[in-house]
Amino acid sequence: MQFGSIIVQGENLLLISGLLISYVMFYYGIRILKIERNIMDLIFNSFINGVLIWKFSYVVLHPNSVLQNPMTIIYFNGGYVGIGIGIIFITIYTWLSIKKQNISLVSYTRAAVPVYFGYFSTFVWIHVSEDPQNYLIILQAIVAACFFIAASRIKTQNTLLQLLIWFHLIQLELALYKNNFVHAEIISKEVLLYVFLIIIFLCISYWSERQGREETTKDKEKGWRNATNNIILGGIILSLAITPMLTNQKETGRIESPKTVMSTSLDSGKIGTNKGQVAPDFELLSITGNKVKLSDLRGKTVILNFWATWCPPCRAEIPEMQRFYENNKNNNVEILAVNLTNSESSPDTVKDFVRDKGMTFNILLDKQGKIGNLYGIITIPTSYIIDKNGIIREKHVGPMSYETMDNFISSIK
């Protein structure tokens, strides 16, 4: 997200917002929900540590990139894998702390569930501000806000846990729709994350019911029955979401998907640099001396990136871009990295940099800065995701991680 001349990466915006909302929810729990301070301290500490683990898990997942350029830690995080690691940490840390401090699970659930919905609402509304035209994200945010209000008024532990399960089932189905019923052989990481959370909350729900009842055969049967009902409920909702996905996969030969419809013909498209417009055509010399024309790459998905060697976030982005290119160059994906050579000390600086970094994708030299001006480049790096018909599908200001590029490309295939 850009505020004037200042760029805040979406991930870092989430990190900053997470820290701020932690303090808000801390006092909300104490003053509004009347929760004991030690419980709110536990929630606060577990979340902050979980967020830090998510942010710095990039070091564990991509140590070579960090060794080559330590600044990557500033710009990138562990993505969905890092979120999973953070969730596992929070679960274990919370479990051990509850045992150690003899905190009632009922009291902890009463505090943690509405706080959790408060966090979720905040993060999704940030995504809404970044993409206000995405109605499914808006729907996710509205659902989260409604569940936050409901959870703040409910005091029964079992009901709160049921809310968690229902909430994530709804979010799972919205995620499947948001990914346009992704091809049956591809399951998005967001979908997997919700499945993971649903399983966790189903286990917690069953465990809490088992802990809260007397050890009698009748109650045991009741507990198993409630847990089975939850699993069946999850299976029904999941099947309702997956069935149209599989149906869509079978009918792709007869019915155009919404994403294909967006890519209208170039003859009727308006040329411009906004989403949905035809990317302005240009021709530049590559660093190897070959002429490269954007329109010649029609039929491929193109990442058009504007960068310079002196730009710190550009330098952090390059290893991610190289790794993505190596894994996707045979999948009709092309990267055009337009170097703003008019801002460099000399063209030789660019050649030395490209050689040292082992960059094998197309490096184009914008010696007069005409192409940068054509695309209205103010801040670098700036990237455009262009589909096979030459239509701009995304614009991203700031460095892109491997996962960001993968999400962009997957969303328009």
Side-chain angles (χ1 to χ4, degrees):
M1 184 174 289
Q2 188 165 359
F3 303 93
S5 60
I6 300 174
I7 297 176
V8 180
Q9 277 290 100
E11 295 87 351
N12 289 332
L13 183 61
L14 288 177
L15 177 62
I16 295 169
S17 300
L19 296 175
L20 293 176
I21 194 64
S22 293
Y23 287 98
V24 174
M25 296 310 298
F26 180 83
Y27 288 104
Y28 176 81
I30 291 177
R31 297 182 179 180
I32 305 299
L33 301 180
K34 307 299 182 184
I35 304 297
E36 295 87 344
R37 188 181 183 91
N38 64 324
I39 296 177
M40 293 308 303
D41 282 335
L42 172 56
I43 295 172
F44 179 85
N45 292 333
S46 63
F47 177 79
I48 294 298
N49 289 325
V51 167
L52 293 176
I53 287 172
W54 162 69
K55 176 65 178 175
F56 293 105
S57 60
Y58 183 85
V59 179
V60 178
L61 298 173
H62 306 291
N64 291 333
S65 297
V66 176
L67 289 174
Q68 292 176 13
N69 187 353
M71 289 193 68
T72 54
I73 300 174
I74 298 175
Y75 301 109
F76 304 129
N77 56 64
Y80 282 105
V81 176
I83 292 175
I85 296 172
I87 290 172
I88 292 172
F89 165 81
I90 290 174
T91 303
I92 295 174
Y93 176 81
T94 300
W95 171 264
L96 294 176
S97 299
I98 287 176
K99 286 286 187 180
K100 183 179 180 179
Q101 300 180 36
N102 291 321
I103 294 174
S104 165
L105 185 60
V106 174
S107 299
Y108 180 82
T109 304
R110 172 74 185 93
V113 174
V115 168
Y116 174 82
F117 287 136
Y119 280 130
F120 199 104
S121 300
T122 303
F123 294 153
V124 181
W125 280 110
I126 289 172
H127 284 306
V128 170
S129 66
E130 293 176 335
D131 189 6
Q133 302 301 317
N134 194 321
Y135 298 112
L136 281 173
I137 294 180
I138 294 174
L139 184 56
Q140 279 186 311
I142 293 173
V143 169
C146 291
F147 272 79
F148 170 68
I149 295 171
S152 297
R153 295 175 175 273
I154 294 172
K155 297 182 180 181
T156 307
Q157 178 188 359
N158 289 339
T159 305
L160 288 169
L161 291 172
Q162 291 293 325
L163 274 182
L164 280 173
I165 296 168
W166 270 102
F167 174 75
H168 289 93
L169 285 169
I170 294 172
Q171 295 298 333
L172 171 62
E173 186 155 2
L174 288 175
L176 287 167
Y177 275 93
K178 189 168 64 176
N179 286 279
N180 196 38
F181 302 130
V182 190
H183 302 102
E185 70 270 14
I186 301 173
I187 302 296
S188 74
K189 293 176 182 177
E190 183 182 9
V191 169
L192 290 175
L193 178 64
Y194 286 128
V195 171
F196 176 54
L197 287 170
I198 289 169
I199 292 172
I200 287 179
F201 291 127
L202 281 170
C203 292
I204 293 174
S205 178
Y206 170 70
W207 179 84
S208 66
E209 287 180 0
R210 186 174 181 178
Q211 289 295 109
R213 68 178 185 268
E214 295 180 1
E215 294 295 324
T216 64
T217 304
K218 182 178 178 181
D219 285 340
K220 285 182 180 179
E221 291 176 354
K222 181 181 177 182
W224 278 108
R225 186 168 61 252
N226 290 340
T228 303
N229 289 339
N230 286 334
I231 294 172
I232 292 174
L233 173 64
I236 291 172
I237 299 295
L238 186 59
S239 64
L240 289 174
I242 290 179
T243 299
M245 178 179 72
L246 297 176
T247 303
N248 183 75
Q249 174 70 8
K250 293 178 182 178
E251 297 180 350
T252 50
R254 297 188 291 107
I255 302 174
E256 282 188 325
S257 69
K259 289 182 176 162
T260 304
V261 173
M262 280 186 64
S263 297
T264 55
S265 66
L266 288 173
D267 294 333
S268 62
K270 181 179 179 182
I271 296 175
T273 58
N274 296 321
K275 288 173 63 174
Q277 295 181 326
V278 179
D281 197 15
F282 63 86
E283 183 178 82
L284 284 174
L285 284 176
S286 73
I287 202 167
T288 58
N290 299 320
K291 288 184 178 180
V292 177
K293 192 174 184 179
L294 177 62
S295 57
D296 289 343
L297 297 176
R298 207 143 302 146
K300 292 186 175 183
T301 303
V302 177
I303 298 176
L304 177 61
N305 175 261
F306 292 87
W307 70 287
T309 62
W310 47 264
C311 161
C314 299
R315 298 167 74 96
E317 179 183 54
I318 284 168
E320 300 284 296
M321 195 170 288
Q322 178 62 35
R323 186 162 60 93
F324 182 80
Y325 177 71
E326 289 174 356
N327 292 337
N328 292 274
K329 60 185 177 182
N330 296 324
N331 298 326
N332 267 348
V333 175
E334 191 62 64
I335 295 178
L336 295 184
V338 177
N339 175 263
L340 303 181
T341 317
N342 61 319
S343 68
E344 303 280 4
S345 57
S346 73
D348 290 336
T349 302
V350 183
K351 293 179 181 179
D352 293 341
F353 183 88
V354 169
R355 184 182 61 253
D356 292 343
K357 296 296 182 181
M359 300 162 67
T360 58
F361 46 85
N362 278 310
I363 309 297
L364 309 184
L365 302 177
D366 188 11
K367 294 182 179 180
Q368 282 78 42
K370 292 182 179 179
I371 309 306
N373 291 334
L374 176 65
Y375 277 79
I377 301 303
I378 299 174
T379 306
I380 55 173
T382 293
S383 300
Y384 292 87
I385 312 300
I386 304 171
D387 71 12
K388 297 175 182 179
N389 292 322
I391 308 296
I392 294 174
R393 301 295 292 274
E394 297 288 346
K395 177 182 178 181
H396 184 87
V397 180
M400 294 189 296
S401 66
Y402 183 103
E403 188 172 41
T404 301
M405 288 180 272
D406 188 49
N407 289 337
F408 280 152
I409 298 302
S410 297
S411 70
I412 65 174
K413 281 186 175 179

